[in-house]
Amino acid sequence: MIHYDIAVIGGGIAGFTAALRALEAGKKTVMISAGQSALHFSSGSIDVLGHFPNGEPVSQPFEAIPKLVRQHPEHPYAKVSLEEITQSLTWFQQQLSAQKVCLYHQEDNANHGRITPLGTVRPTWLSQGHVYQHRGPRRFSGLCFVAIEGYRDAQPTLAKDTITAQRDFASCPSRTITLSIPGAERLRRNRNELRSVDLSRLLAEPDAFDSLCEQLIAQSGPDELVILPAIIADVAGERGMDVLKQRTDRCFHEVPTMPPSLLGIRIETALQRAFASAGGVLLRGDQVTGGEFDDNGCLTALHTRQLEDIPLTAEAVILATGSYFSRGLNADRTQVSEPTLGLDMVQSPDRSEWRNDDFFSQQSHPFMAFGINTDNQLRPTARGKRCQNLFVCGAVLSGYDPVYEGCGGGVAIATGYAAAQRALAVMASAKEASHAN
Ligand SMILES: Cc1cc2nc3c(=O)[nH]c(=O)nc-3n(C[C@H](O)[C@H](O)[C@H](O)COP(=O)(O)OP(=O)(O)OC[C@H]3O[C@@H](n4cnc5c(N)ncnc54)[C@H](O)[C@@H]3O)c2cc1C
């Protein structure tokens, strides 16, 4: 038996937030993480609230959240206070900044527009340093979309055509330039196989990086916004993009590419570095296959695929296994379930109610809000019984659609932080009770 103070299941943004907070409080913490998180597919910006569930756009997320939770008491934001939400986001920014990944928001806390790889503009709240925050009048003369020769995971021509159809950019001159990265040809195993991570490795070589700088200076203008697929990695935080800006004197907007998304990976590696330097134990590639509950609803042991015969035990457990995408939820023909610990689910038993009739409808599909319901302490139930030392956070929670509402990152950070706080409080009162006896 291996014993920890806190065990976190799942290594996405919610799991890392909870684990880092537990480590900060001095707890011996283990994280078991089966595979890649949604960060590998994300924009690397943190959405707090872009739309109400009825589609109404939100410009000031922190002013809108009280109305959201009044109208939707089942929403995960209703389980945490507004103060906890803002506190957790500030804390998260500080954690990342200590790892040299700086995240910025508008001074008045409003959402800004982020130009997406498809050329649409999506609201978000916190973005990395070389992501252009669109709001109010533009300060550049035109848009310069960068295509990389032979690279198919970014579609700048499509993005250019889409953005100029939008009101804010209708009168904005835009063009596409094509750059070639020397050596890219030798990385390609077939016509389609060239990924952002391959290019980033190549661009870590001085010759390739110099060539990129020279081509950018020659082909783009200093008063344009240069829209660059995220292909520059960083050894330490954002240094690669900072150097590119210094060397070229250009203003960039980094856009995520098809997965893997370097903007999301940048956040994940920063979280991993913070976790390791705080002394956390990471069981990467292992998977929790089940747990044992006692009659009081206490989770007494966790089983993992790799530590088959050696159960893990912890004073408190935090479940952060994500949604369908990360297998935190599982859907078959008859039901949606939580496969890791078999927790009770909020779902519709009638399969015809899982989605809207029009699959491409502009509304959220009901199945997106299925998941684990909790009390205000973020504790779920298992077979009808309230769990005492288990706390749930992130995309596995029910009651919201992270993508449609544009609140995935915010909910993951706020509930991850709150789950750790709740676990610490329960552990503290258990300790007090044992001293009293
Ligand atoms: C494709 C995509 C893109 C998105 N982009 C954005 C964005 O740009 N900005 C934004 O704010 N939100 C975005 N979201 C919303 C997203 O839901 C949240 O932002 C957030 O990333 C969810 O984090 P999480 O930690 O809850 O789950 P995840 O990131 O899904 O992580 C869950 C982790 O748990 C692991 N796991 C699952 N089961 C087990 C098990 N039994 N044992 C051990 N480990 C397990 C998984 O392997 C995974 O690593 C996106 C969502 C998707 C699906």
Side-chain angles (χ1 to χ4, degrees), residues 9-16 32-39 41-48 114 124 268 286-289 320-323 325-328 339-340 393-396 400 402-403 406-410 412:
I9 313 174
I13 203 162
F16 269 114
I32 310 108
S33 184
Q36 284 179 346
S37 73
L39 280 168
F41 299 78
S42 88
S43 66
S45 288
I46 305 296
D47 305 341
V48 171
R114 172 179 67 79
T124 190
E268 189 179 83
D286 201 354
Q287 183 191 359
V288 175
T289 49
T321 44
S323 186
F325 190 75
S326 297
R327 305 201 178 168
T340 303
C393 55
V396 69
Y400 77 122
V403 179
C407 65

